[in-house]
Amino acid sequence: MQSNKRFLGFVKSLRFRLILLILVIIIAPGILLCLGVLNSYEARTISIRESEVLGQTKILSNLISTSEYINKNGSDTQIVDAKIEMLTTIYNGRVLVVDRNFNIVEDTYDLDNGKTIISEEVIRSFSGEEIINYDSTNNYIELSVPVINPEDAKNRVLGVVVVSVSTDTIALNINYLTQVAIIIEIALFVVFLFFGILAIIHIMKPLKDVTKELEELQGGYRDEMDVCTYIETEEISHKINAMLSEMKLMDESRQEFVSNVSHELKTPLTSMKVLADSINSMGSEAPKELYQEFMEDITNEIERETKIINDLLSLVKMDKTAVTLNIENVSIVEYLPEDIVNEVKDNADINKWD
């Protein structure tokens, strides 16, 4: 139970909130920076790879268009095969050569030779478009480039070259960079957290000094505060010192008031004691008139004492913050002297006859 209270107290403390703030300042920009750099690197690398493969595929398409490779005739087929082999070796890819009947003339994997391929990319390439697709899930780039007869004025498409290139190496590089970024982020997190805690300790020290001086003020070891490390702590010290000055003035006034009240209360009591001692010292030989005079003096002192006590009670009631008002209907005539009432009546009668 005690540990839970300490934990809750630490969670509510300014120290804990400063630590959270430092963690957010460190982690959030680091994560955003890592994500931004990695995404930028991936996009740039894929773009470069697409440009390289597209350039090689266009060269291959031009070679095929100037030869009889689609028909498997002519002496240039070996040159085209060598270019295809180089393309697949360098980029770890697969090349399909499709004729105008959608038949696969050449498959570097020797899986679909002689089969028919009908896909959106191939159909669009037969319309003269160059198609580039990147599949980030399966890590490959697919290109579809038309083979156009250069001697044909209508630019009719003789076939389509479909190239699939693996991007596993790029994915491996991104994974490696991600691991490096995580390690750097953790290292920066530990370093900044260490120096952040030192900074928080330094920042919180003046607040501890304020608490310590308040305890010393409460124990009576100090008369005023003097913590001027920050402008804020200096303002707090000035405010507390001003409050202490007001409290000292109030305490002095209260002590003076108590002293005066004590003196006023003791005076009638002393007088009554003197009178009583005087009566006791006279014995039975004192005249009756003197006894009566002394008793009247004692009665007057008692009334004086009673009046002082009543005044004190009235003063205490006036000092209360909440005062209850007793409102009732009264006749003002009852509180005015009779001669003033008669004078007002006479003036009213004269004004009436006028």
Side-chain angles (χ1 to χ4, degrees):
M1 191 68 180
Q2 189 69 22
S3 60
N4 291 334
K5 289 183 179 179
R6 290 180 180 177
F7 176 74
L8 291 176
F10 175 72
V11 170
K12 292 181 180 179
S13 65
L14 179 61
R15 187 183 299 106
F16 176 74
R17 297 181 184 184
L18 288 176
I19 291 174
L20 283 182
L21 180 62
I22 290 175
L23 294 180
V24 171
I25 292 174
I26 295 172
I27 294 175
I31 293 175
L32 293 177
L33 180 62
C34 291
L35 291 176
V37 170
L38 291 174
N39 290 333
S40 177
Y41 170 78
E42 181 181 7
R44 179 62 179 168
T45 307
I46 293 299
S47 177
I48 293 173
R49 180 62 59 85
E50 289 175 349
S51 299
E52 292 176 353
V53 176
L54 179 62
Q56 296 296 326
T57 305
K58 285 184 177 180
I59 294 174
L60 178 61
S61 175
N62 292 331
L63 286 176
I64 294 174
S65 66
T66 57
S67 66
E68 294 294 331
Y69 184 81
I70 293 179
N71 298 324
K72 291 296 182 179
N73 295 322
S75 60
D76 296 336
T77 56
Q78 294 181 353
I79 300 175
V80 176
D81 288 335
K83 181 63 179 177
I84 292 174
E85 183 178 358
M86 183 188 69
L87 181 62
T88 55
T89 302
I90 294 175
Y91 297 104
N92 189 22
R94 179 184 183 185
V95 177
L96 299 177
V97 180
V98 183
D99 62 11
R100 66 177 60 189
N101 296 320
F102 298 96
N103 294 322
I104 299 174
V105 177
E106 177 64 26
D107 181 6
T108 54
Y109 282 7
D110 293 328
L111 296 176
D112 297 325
N113 287 326
K115 294 182 179 179
T116 302
I117 179 172
I118 298 176
S119 64
E120 180 183 357
E121 290 79 9
V122 174
I123 294 173
R124 290 172 60 185
S125 293
F126 272 106
S127 300
E129 296 184 33
E130 296 177 353
I131 309 300
I132 301 176
N133 292 325
Y134 170 57
D135 189 346
S136 59
T137 303
N138 298 313
N139 296 325
Y140 71 88
I141 300 171
E142 186 178 61
L143 296 90
S144 181
V145 177
V147 178
I148 299 175
N149 187 359
E151 298 178 356
D152 191 352
K154 295 183 179 179
N155 293 328
R156 287 182 294 181
V157 178
L158 300 177
V160 173
V161 178
V162 180
V163 178
S164 298
V165 177
S166 174
T167 58
D168 290 337
T169 55
I170 297 176
L172 290 174
N173 291 334
I174 293 174
N175 291 333
Y176 173 76
L177 292 176
T178 302
Q179 294 175 1
V180 172
I182 291 173
I183 293 172
I184 294 174
E185 183 72 17
I186 293 174
L188 290 176
F189 169 78
V190 173
V191 172
F192 278 100
L193 181 62
F194 175 74
F195 287 104
I197 292 174
L198 293 181
I200 289 172
I201 293 173
H202 179 72
I203 292 171
M204 296 296 294
K205 187 178 182 300
L207 298 180
K208 289 185 177 180
D209 293 339
V210 170
T211 304
K212 182 179 178 181
E213 295 205 7
L214 284 174
E215 291 176 353
E216 292 179 354
L217 285 173
Q218 186 178 4
Y221 300 106
R222 298 180 64 90
D223 295 331
E224 62 179 14
M225 286 186 61
D226 186 18
V227 182
C228 301
T229 309
Y230 305 136
I231 294 177
E232 291 78 8
T233 56
E234 185 176 357
E235 291 179 354
I236 291 173
S237 298
H238 291 335
K239 295 293 183 182
I240 292 178
N241 290 334
M243 183 181 68
L244 289 174
S245 299
E246 293 179 0
M247 291 176 64
K248 286 180 181 179
L249 290 176
M250 292 177 61
D251 189 58
E252 290 174 359
S253 300
R254 189 176 290 107
Q255 289 179 358
E256 184 179 358
F257 174 75
V258 171
S259 178
N260 293 332
V261 169
S262 177
H263 176 71
E264 291 294 329
L265 290 174
K266 286 180 180 180
T267 300
L269 292 175
T270 304
S271 299
M272 286 187 286
K273 186 177 184 302
V274 171
L275 292 172
D277 291 341
S278 300
I279 293 173
N280 291 329
S281 62
M282 288 187 297
S284 59
E285 298 177 357
K288 181 178 180 182
E289 292 79 7
L290 187 59
Y291 272 106
Q292 290 179 349
E293 183 180 354
F294 279 15
M295 293 303 294
E296 288 177 359
D297 292 338
I298 291 174
T299 303
N300 292 332
E301 293 298 331
I302 292 173
E303 291 178 353
R304 181 183 172 187
E305 184 87 11
T306 304
K307 185 176 182 302
I308 293 173
I309 293 173
N310 290 332
D311 291 340
L312 287 174
L313 292 175
S314 299
L315 184 63
V316 171
K317 290 180 180 179
M318 290 176 62
D319 193 39
K320 290 182 178 179
T321 56
V323 179
T324 303
L325 297 179
N326 295 323
I327 301 175
E328 59 181 5
N329 295 323
V330 296
S331 176
I332 193 172
V333 178
E334 297 178 359
Y335 296 93
L336 293 176
E338 186 177 355
D339 54 349
I340 295 177
V341 174
N342 293 331
E343 184 177 354
V344 172
K345 286 183 178 180
D346 293 339
N347 291 331
D349 293 338
I350 292 171
N351 292 329
K352 179 180 179 181
W353 290 108
D354 289 342

